[in-house]
Amino acid sequence: QVQLVESGGGSVQAGGSLRLSCTAPGFTSHSCVMDWYRQAAGKQREWVSSISVDGSTTYADSVKGRFAISKDKYKDTVYLQMNSLKPEDTAMYSCNPQQSYAGRWYGTALCSKYWGQGTQVTVSS
């Protein structure tokens, strides 16, 4: 098991911005795909965005045009820039290294061995 650290969450008013970070040691060298997920209280976990090994990105329709995922391979860190936040974006956000993107398989078994605590985002109206 490898610990990753998510940070950057907080409380913000609707229309505001936050940038989340996820530092996962070794994810670059092990060619992991990185996902962001969120889970609101009482709701199912929801996929938010993914970034592949080559930097390709995908987004859930609910955040498209407002959120941007990026990564710094030298810091083994993935970011989620969240703009124009809405109350419905309130959730615990977590990053999830894994090996699949657009039907292709990447990386090593290490990609499935990360764990983290998540970071809470609260958006008030």
Side-chain angles (χ1 to χ4, degrees):
Q1 296 286 316
V2 181
Q3 185 173 10
L4 54 81
V5 179
E6 298 113 328
S7 62
S11 297
V12 64
Q13 289 193 326
S17 298
L18 286 172
R19 189 177 80 154
L20 306 184
S21 300
C22 168
T23 299
F27 94 83
T28 300
S29 61
H30 286 270
S31 300
C32 304
V33 176
M34 299 295 281
D35 298 337
W36 280 101
Y37 280 82
R38 65 187 182 186
Q39 187 166 20
K43 294 188 177 181
Q44 287 192 331
R45 190 183 187 210
E46 175 190 19
W47 169 77
V48 176
S49 181
S50 296
I51 186 164
S52 185
V53 176
D54 65 359
S56 300
T57 59
T58 51
Y59 298 93
D61 287 344
S62 58
V63 307
K64 201 172 292 183
R66 299 188 298 121
F67 290 12
I69 190 171
S70 61
K71 62 181 177 179
D72 184 331
K73 63 181 181 180
Y74 301 108
K75 296 183 179 180
D76 273 336
T77 299
V78 176
Y79 303 98
L80 187 67
Q81 178 66 45
M82 307 187 297
N83 300 324
S84 302
L85 283 161
K86 305 175 181 180
E88 51 264 44
D89 294 318
T90 295
M92 179 69 77
Y93 285 72
S94 60
C95 65
N96 180 61
Q98 49 94 1
Q99 294 182 260
S100 176
Y101 186 90
R104 294 186 62 183
W105 200 252
Y106 297 90
T108 72
L110 176 74
C111 299
S112 63
K113 297 189 183 301
Y114 287 91
W115 66 278
Q117 303 280 9
T119 186
Q120 177 68 37
V121 171
T122 303
V123 184
S124 57
S125 57

